Amino acid sequence: MNKTELIEKIAEGSGLSKAACKKAVDAAIDAVRDALVAGDKVALVGFGTFSVAERPAREGINPATKEKIQIAAKKQVKFKAGSELADALN
């Protein structure tokens, strides 16, 4: 499912217009992104938790040349599914 399909599904289920649903989805995505950039966790009860994890710098190997390269440290988004979502999948 892509963003357009999600908006259509929300509009269908809520009875709201697609334009209103698009604004709501965009606002929700922006709010989650802003919270993660600020270093906060976003916990949606029954769905899951988004958080930021720090990956340390490490040494890797370039598969084409087989020479060692240094991979820079970076931040990564993590998602941990909530129990209701995990139960629904199994």
Side-chain angles (χ1 to χ4, degrees), residues 3 6-7 22-36:
K3 186 176 175 182
L6 176 63
I7 291 168
K22 182 181 182 327
K23 285 182 184 178
V25 168
D26 288 341
I29 290 171
D30 289 345
V32 170
R33 182 187 57 238
D34 292 346
L36 291 173

Side-chain angles (χ1 to χ4, degrees), residues 12-69:
E12 183 181 296
S14 67
L16 297 172
S17 70
K18 286 183 186 177
C21 290
K22 182 181 182 327
K23 285 182 184 178
V25 168
D26 288 341
I29 290 171
D30 289 345
V32 170
R33 182 187 57 238
D34 292 346
L36 291 173
V37 167
D40 296 334
K41 284 185 178 181
V42 178
L44 304 172
V45 176
F47 183 70
T49 302
F50 295 92
S51 61
V52 177
E54 303 252 351
R55 293 191 65 179
R58 62 193 193 280
E59 193 173 86
I61 298 175
N62 181 335
T65 64
K66 306 294 187 213
E67 73 180 75
K68 292 183 179 185
I69 57 172

